[in-house]
DNA sequence: TAATTGACCCTTT
DNA sequence: CAAAGGGCCAATT
C-alpha cells in the first residue's frame, strides 16, 4: 500500500543499534521528512512483522514510551528495552542511550 | 470538501 | 520536572 515514504522510514528504524533509542521526530528528519513525526508512528503501525524492525527503540521526544502506561504495547516495549540494558529513571529513558548516528555512515547505509 | 484522528513536538507555566 | 496548549500533517472517515 503505502509508498516509498514508509520504506524509507523502516530503513532508518532498522539502523538503530541495540541498546540505543531514537525519537519519532529524529527518525523523520533522518528519513528526509522533517515535521512528519506522526507519519513515523503510522509507518511503524503499518510495518509488516516479517521485517522484524526494532520498533521498540523508537520513543517520543520526551524520552518516554508513547503508549498508555497500562497498555500491552507499553509493557512490551518497556520489557524489550530493559532486555537490551536500557535504563529508566521513572518513565524516562536515560539520555546516554540516545542514538547519535554519524551522518556519513548513515548516508552510506541508506544508499540506494 | 470538511472534520477527525493519532505509537508526535515545542514552548510556556 | 510535569502539565497544558497550540501547532503540525498525512491518512481516514
Amino acid at each position: 500500500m503505502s509508498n516509498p515514504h514508509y520504506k524509507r522510514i523502516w530503513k532508518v528504524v532498522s539502523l538503530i543499534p541495540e541498546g540505543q533509542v531514537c525519537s519519532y521526530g529524529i527518525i523523520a528528519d533522518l528519513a528526509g521528512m522533517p515535521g512528519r513525526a506522526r507519519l513515523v508512528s503510522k509507518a511503524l503501525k503499518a510495518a509488516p512483522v516479517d521485517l522484524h524492525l526494532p520498533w521498540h527503540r523508537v520513543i517520543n521526544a520526551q524520552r518516554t514510551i508513547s503508549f498508555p502506561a497500562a497498555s500491552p504495547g507499553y509493557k512490551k516495549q518497556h520489557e524489550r528495552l530493559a532486555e537490551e540494558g536500557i535504563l529508566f529513571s521513572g518513565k524516562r529513558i536515560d539520555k546516554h542511550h540516545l542514538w547519535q548516528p554519524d551522518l556519513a555512515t548513515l548516508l552510506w547505509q541508506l544508499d540506494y
Side-chain angles (χ1 to χ4, degrees):
Chain A
M1 257 222 328
S2 280
N3 59 34
H5 289 321
Y6 282 12
K7 288 189 180 177
R8 189 76 174 188
I9 290 170
W10 295 337
K11 176 74 175 178
V12 174
V13 171
S14 77
L15 299 176
I16 307 174
E18 182 177 340
Q20 301 193 249
V21 297
C22 190
S23 77
Y24 297 91
I26 299 299
I27 296 290
D29 288 347
L30 295 176
M33 318 174 209
R36 286 181 247 188
R38 308 191 92 131
L39 188 62
V40 173
S41 68
K42 263 211 167 288
L44 288 184
K45 187 161 58 178
V49 276
D50 45 305
L51 280 184
H52 295 115
L53 287 181
W55 58 269
H56 56 286
R57 297 179 190 144
V58 184
I59 61 176
N60 61 42
Q62 289 70 53
R63 305 209 314 284
T64 65
I65 291 173
S66 281
F67 290 112
S71 69
Y74 183 97
K75 290 175 184 167
K76 183 77 170 183
Q77 186 167 11
H78 186 292
E79 173 186 296
R80 289 210 194 175
L81 291 175
E83 278 173 6
E84 297 190 357
I86 288 176
L87 301 174
F88 287 73
S89 47
K91 301 174 128 189
R92 186 170 262 86
I93 290 167
D94 282 8
K95 265 185 153 62
H96 51 83
H97 289 113
L98 290 175
W99 180 40
Q100 287 163 3
D102 171 69
L103 288 188
T105 305
L106 180 72
L107 290 176
W108 172 67
Q109 291 180 107
L110 285 175
D111 74 17
Y112 262 77

